[in-house]
């Protein structure tokens, strides 16, 4: 128990008895008076609840017995022995003890995530140059209820005003510009700024700033290496992370003793007072907000306003950053870190809206399949990463006054958009630099790898005036130079390259059909030789925006060349499987659904996962799904194909080899593929009865298939004499107009219900 005996009138005051009589966590603070400022601040008495609050601050993560490990409260010691030096605590005690003003404020202690409702009351008692005040700090982890205690506060009114601006704005930048201008006016400050940190890149960015007109304050962007200054504030704030306020020259100089580099920038900038607050969301430090040269006569109100505002701003900024991160993920190629196809389309569309000249450059690595086949997919990925890094360096160093937007739109396909060039020669030089960047070998896993690329250029608006047309024309030029295998790797688009303008129109129709759900399916029945229904093959169909149907022979080859066939396959497979699965559940029939898979589709890394999801969503038993694989998959990508087929077989899915007999080395691969069915191409069936050698060839395929354990189905059977020949030579199944055209869903259902399809 502490007794203080005054030399004036012999008054005795029992401080401990005073604080023990109060319910709230309370202490008595002594403040040494030094002229119009203050000196040492001590905690001269405290009740048990206040001692618990001190324990919370010094040992925030303690539980149970650990809570008693913090420093015990000893009356008369400097407050800094119990918690970190706090300008806000000192200011409240100075105003109450020396200036004899009642103070009601609050503070958010970051490391314990607790708000404190604070009251500082002057005591009418002094001892020479020592004054006293009563200080209560009531912890509250509910910010909403805390705000209720300030329902008459001007600070809350100001905060609500800024929050309204936050939510009225259509985007973050507009919101922050409005809010920071409002804050500057509330603080009557010369300038206010919001700075964001990027610790990964060790960079900072100014999100918003506002200064009075004609301000001579030097901006932080005028100082070199300011990230180091900004990150140093984190150490100054410490774990509790309240704020930093310096109201005059003396307090600015005190910053110099703690953080001299920052002090030097403050002096050089012309800062006479500064109030700096961290922006935090949970444990993440987002950045800082500050006001300079503010109304120091109104410091307490400014402190309260900025503290609450920073709390709401942090939540708003964190929400925005989450959205931006998700957008970045959706618009970024995961392997190279470059913008992806979606970002490319958006960027090109934006440039077209500006109606300024620019050039789109389609880039494809030459013979990259050989790299994957020789060194493996991991090595191939490393090559792609290295190529992207080389081209990034070109973008940063060559003709820096031009804008170069480099993207990776899938696998070894890249796209470059160049704007701001002055002449055709300058553009050619820029593209040539990307080509030259591949002249030196790449070293991957201690192996020298040589790659080259083909470049196709199309200029807006000379060569095309829409996003799709510009990208398509650049692809046409790239494919042409790639096809010629010329030593010249760069080609500018010309109308002569469009051997068939209709092809580009069909490509546009396909893209539109994919975007607007105009791809659908028909099912063509398959029968055994006794006319019993085996199942159906799903066939792609397409309409344009006006409802006009396109023949598959017209749009399927274009989809393959344009790299869209995997999306067409996937759409048809999903729709057909969902219908077929429902039909099986209602009829309990044992039929097979055959789905076509292109080379591009099977080579996708998520192909197997796609099939698993298809089975799960449709409910079709795996042994009633058949994947039709073309011979080109076997010939061009045998190892990858075998891996995929093995996984499909383990799932129970059946495999058919489509268009058999058209490949140049089909027989040499046949024994390596664990398929169940061979499909003989229609071209052989058409010639079978008019040419004896063709008939013998079909018979040989059927015989070889049977020897190796395959069933055989003939496609395109249209005439009775073809059917008779196939029966004679032992074919197992037929598919064609003779017994069934491709059917829409309603006709398929009628057929299944009307026929005996039992085992």
């Amino acid at each position: 128990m502490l007794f203080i005996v005054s030399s004036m009138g012999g008054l005795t005051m029992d401080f401990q008895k005073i604080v023990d009589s109060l319910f709230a966590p309370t202490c008595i603070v002594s403040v040494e008076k030094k002229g119009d400022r203050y000196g040492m601040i001590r905690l001269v008495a405290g009740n048990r609840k206040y001692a618990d609050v001190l324990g919370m601050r010094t040992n925030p993560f303690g539980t149970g017995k650990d809570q008693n490990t913090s420093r015990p409260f000893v009356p008369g010691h400097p407050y800094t022995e119990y918690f970190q030096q706090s300008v806000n605590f000192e200011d409240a005690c100075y105003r109450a003890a020396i200036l004899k003003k009642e103070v009601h404020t609050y503070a958010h202690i970051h490391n314990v995530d607790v708000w404190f409702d604070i009251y500082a009351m002057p005591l009418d008692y002094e001892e020479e140059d020592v004054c006293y005040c009563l200080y209560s700090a009531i912890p509250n982890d509910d910010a909403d209820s805390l705000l209720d205690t300030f329902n008459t506060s001007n600070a809350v009114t100001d905060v609500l005003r800024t929050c309204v601006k936050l939510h009225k704005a259509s985007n973050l930048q507009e919101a922050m510009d409005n809010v920071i201008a409002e804050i500057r006016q509330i603080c009557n400050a010369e300038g206010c700024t919001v700075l964001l940190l990027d610790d990964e890149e060790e960079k900072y960015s100014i999100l918003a700033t506002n200064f009075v007109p004609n301000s001579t304050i030097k901006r932080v962007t005028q100082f070199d290496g300011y990230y180091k200054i900004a990150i140093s504030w984190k150490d100054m704030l410490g774990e509790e992370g309240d704020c930093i306020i310096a109201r005059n020259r003396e307090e600015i100089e005190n910053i110099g003793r703690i953080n001299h580099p920052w002090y030097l920038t403050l002096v050089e900038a012309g800062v006479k007072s500064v109030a700096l607050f961290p922006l935090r969301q949970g444990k993440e430090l987002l950045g800082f907000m500050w006001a300079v040269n503010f109304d120091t006569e109104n410091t307490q109100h400014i402190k309260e306003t900025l503290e609450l505002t920073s709390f709401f701003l942090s939540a708003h900024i964190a929400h925005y950053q989450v959205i931006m991160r998700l957008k970045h993920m959706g618009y970024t190629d995961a392997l190279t870190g470059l913008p992806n196809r979606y970002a490319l389309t958006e960027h090109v569309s934006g440039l077209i809206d500006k109606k300024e000249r620019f050039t789109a450059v389609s880039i494809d690595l030459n013979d990259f399949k050989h790299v994957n086949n020789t060194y493996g997919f991991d090595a191939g990925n490393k090559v792609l990463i290295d190529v992207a890094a080389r081209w990034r360096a070109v973008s940063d160093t060559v003709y820096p006054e031009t804008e170069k937007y480099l993207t990776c739109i899938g696998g070894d396909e890249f796209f470059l958009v160049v704007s701001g060039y002055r002449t055709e020669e300058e553009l050619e030089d820029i593209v040539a630099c990307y080509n030259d960047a591949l002249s030196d070998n790449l070293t991957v896993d201690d192996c020298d790898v040589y790659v080259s690329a083909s470049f196709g250029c199309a200029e807006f608006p000379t060569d095309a005036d829409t996003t799709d047309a510009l990208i398509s024309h650049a692809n046409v030029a790239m494919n042409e130079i790639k096809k010629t295998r010329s030593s010249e790797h760069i080609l500018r688009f010309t109308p002569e390259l469009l051997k068939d303008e209709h092809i580009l129109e069909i490509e546009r129709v396909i893209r539109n059909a994919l975007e607007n759900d105009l791809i659908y399916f028909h099912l063509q029945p398959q029968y055994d030789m006794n006319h019993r229904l085996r199942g159906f093959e799903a066939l792609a169909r397409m309409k344009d925006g006006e409802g006009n149907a396109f023949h598959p022979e017209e749009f399927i080859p274009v989809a393959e060349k344009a790299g869209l066939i995997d999306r067409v396959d996937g759409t048809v497979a999903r729709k057909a499987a969902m219908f077929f699965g429902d039909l099986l559940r209602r009829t309990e029939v044992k039929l097979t659904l055959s789905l076509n898979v292109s080379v591009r589709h099977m080579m996708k890394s998520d192909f197997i996962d796609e099939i698993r999801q298809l089975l799960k969503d449709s409910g079709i038993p795996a042994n009633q799904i058949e994947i039709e694989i073309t011979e080109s998959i076997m010939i061009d990508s045998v190892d990858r194909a075998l891996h995929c087929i093995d996984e499909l077989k383990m799932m129970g899915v059946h495999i058919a080899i489509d268009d058999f007999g058209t490949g140049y080395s089909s027989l040499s691969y046949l024994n390596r593929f664990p398929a169940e069915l061979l499909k003989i191409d229609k071209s052989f069936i058409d010639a079978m009865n008019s040419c004896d050698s063709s008939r013998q060839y079909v018979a040989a395929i059927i015989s070889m298939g049977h020897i190796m354990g395959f069933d055989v189905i003939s496609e395109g059977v249209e005439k009775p004499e073809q059917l008779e020949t196939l029966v004679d030579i032992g074919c197992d199944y037929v598919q064609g107009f003779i017994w069934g055209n491709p059917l829409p869903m309603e006709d398929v259902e009628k057929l299944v219900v009307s026929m005996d399809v039992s085992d």
Side-chain angles (χ1 to χ4, degrees), residues 526-700:
Q526 299 171 336
Y527 294 91
D528 68 13
M529 307 313 289
N530 294 315
H531 204 192
R532 285 194 297 264
L533 189 61
R534 172 186 186 266
F536 297 88
E537 178 184 1
L539 301 173
R541 296 292 183 264
M542 180 184 76
K543 292 181 180 179
D544 63 15
E546 298 177 357
N548 301 312
F550 281 72
H551 195 281
E553 291 183 1
E554 190 175 17
F555 73 86
I556 292 296
V558 177
E560 290 174 343
K561 291 180 180 179
L564 300 171
I565 191 63
D566 56 323
R567 295 175 62 188
V568 173
D569 285 347
T571 301
V572 170
R574 283 192 300 274
K575 290 184 175 182
M578 296 306 294
F579 163 74
F580 202 71
D582 179 64
L583 182 63
L584 295 184
R585 284 190 291 275
R586 288 187 284 110
T587 61
E588 298 183 352
V589 296
K590 297 294 184 181
L591 296 173
T592 297
L593 177 65
S594 295
L595 302 173
N596 288 285
V597 173
S598 64
V599 177
R600 182 183 178 92
H601 198 179
M602 180 171 261
M603 292 306 103
K604 290 178 65 176
S605 60
D606 61 348
F607 172 71
I608 295 298
D609 291 335
E610 183 181 334
I611 297 300
R612 285 198 182 98
Q613 192 65 44
L614 188 73
L615 293 172
K616 179 181 178 182
D617 293 343
S618 68
I620 301 176
N623 62 2
Q624 288 178 254
I625 285 284
E626 185 173 75
I627 301 297
E628 295 191 12
I629 300 170
T630 61
E631 277 194 290
S632 57
I633 292 179
M634 296 191 295
I635 295 166
D636 294 339
S637 309
V638 60
D639 293 332
R640 169 67 175 162
L642 282 172
H643 176 73
C644 288
I645 290 172
D646 286 341
E647 291 206 42
L648 291 171
K649 295 286 291 181
M650 289 175 62
M651 293 160 54
V653 173
H654 293 296
I655 305 296
I657 300 176
D658 196 14
D659 297 336
F660 186 77
T662 59
Y664 64 86
S665 58
S666 56
L667 299 182
S668 66
Y669 284 94
L670 189 58
N671 64 342
R672 298 185 61 185
F673 279 75
E676 288 88 5
L677 185 73
L678 296 183
K679 299 192 75 175
I680 302 177
D681 187 68
K682 181 181 183 297
S683 61
F684 298 110
I685 304 303
D686 289 341
M688 182 176 58
N689 284 358
S690 60
C691 176
D692 187 59
S693 62
S694 295
R695 183 183 186 280
Q696 292 180 19
Y697 186 68
V698 173

Side-chain angles (χ1 to χ4, degrees), residues 359-380:
T359 291
V361 185
S362 176
I363 312 172
D364 193 85
L365 298 184
N366 297 324
D367 297 320
F368 187 71
K369 178 178 62 177
H370 175 73
V371 175
N372 281 334
N373 290 343
T374 304
Y375 302 101
F377 285 101
D378 287 342

Side-chain angles (χ1 to χ4, degrees), residues 333-601:
D333 176 65
L335 179 65
T336 63
L338 293 173
N340 63 12
R341 184 185 298 272
Y342 303 107
L344 167 68
T345 303
E346 202 168 274
H347 182 73
V348 171
S349 298
L351 290 178
I352 288 176
D353 289 341
K354 294 180 181 179
K355 301 187 182 305
E356 297 176 0
R357 181 177 71 161
F358 68 94
T359 291
V361 185
S362 176
I363 312 172
D364 193 85
L365 298 184
N366 297 324
D367 297 320
F368 187 71
K369 178 178 62 177
H370 175 73
V371 175
N372 281 334
N373 290 343
T374 304
Y375 302 101
F377 285 101
D378 287 342
N381 287 341
K382 292 176 183 178
V383 169
L384 293 174
I385 293 169
D386 198 339
V387 167
R390 291 190 182 193
W391 284 345
R392 274 200 192 95
V394 173
S395 297
D396 293 339
T397 57
V398 173
Y399 291 96
E401 67 278 7
T402 64
E403 181 183 355
K404 296 171 286 293
Y405 190 76
L406 179 66
T407 67
C408 180
I409 61 176
D412 61 334
E413 301 173 49
F414 295 81
F415 226 96
L416 172 68
V417 181
V418 185
S419 56
Y421 53 91
R422 292 166 295 183
T423 65
E424 294 293 326
E425 291 74 18
E426 187 174 300
L427 172 65
E428 292 172 5
D429 193 26
I430 290 171
V431 178
C433 288
Y434 286 87
N435 184 42
D436 294 343
L438 301 180
S439 58
D440 294 333
N441 67 285
L442 298 82
T443 302
V444 177
D445 297 337
D446 298 324
C447 296
D448 290 338
V449 179
Y450 294 87
V451 295
S452 63
S454 297
F455 299 77
C457 308
E459 187 179 63
F460 172 86
T462 310
D463 299 324
D465 59 2
T466 67
T467 299
D468 284 348
L470 192 69
I471 292 174
S472 293
H473 288 183
N475 283 333
V476 167
M478 181 274 293
N479 287 326
E480 182 67 21
I481 194 68
K482 192 180 186 74
K483 183 171 60 179
T484 61
R485 294 185 174 273
S486 169
S487 58
E488 297 294 330
H489 294 157
I490 303 169
L491 182 66
R492 168 72 182 269
F493 170 83
T494 61
E496 291 74 24
L497 295 175
L498 296 178
K499 297 181 176 64
D500 186 357
E501 178 67 29
H502 188 53
I503 292 176
L504 285 178
E505 178 58 31
I506 292 175
E507 182 181 335
R508 286 191 285 270
V509 172
I510 295 170
R511 293 182 185 276
N512 181 67
L514 287 166
E515 294 297 326
N516 294 284
D517 197 27
L518 298 174
I519 300 290
Y520 60 105
F521 68 93
H522 280 172
L523 298 182
Q524 186 169 31
Q526 299 171 336
Y527 294 91
D528 68 13
M529 307 313 289
N530 294 315
H531 204 192
R532 285 194 297 264
L533 189 61
R534 172 186 186 266
F536 297 88
E537 178 184 1
L539 301 173
R541 296 292 183 264
M542 180 184 76
K543 292 181 180 179
D544 63 15
E546 298 177 357
N548 301 312
F550 281 72
H551 195 281
E553 291 183 1
E554 190 175 17
F555 73 86
I556 292 296
V558 177
E560 290 174 343
K561 291 180 180 179
L564 300 171
I565 191 63
D566 56 323
R567 295 175 62 188
V568 173
D569 285 347
T571 301
V572 170
R574 283 192 300 274
K575 290 184 175 182
M578 296 306 294
F579 163 74
F580 202 71
D582 179 64
L583 182 63
L584 295 184
R585 284 190 291 275
R586 288 187 284 110
T587 61
E588 298 183 352
V589 296
K590 297 294 184 181
L591 296 173
T592 297
L593 177 65
S594 295
L595 302 173
N596 288 285
V597 173
S598 64
V599 177
R600 182 183 178 92
H601 198 179

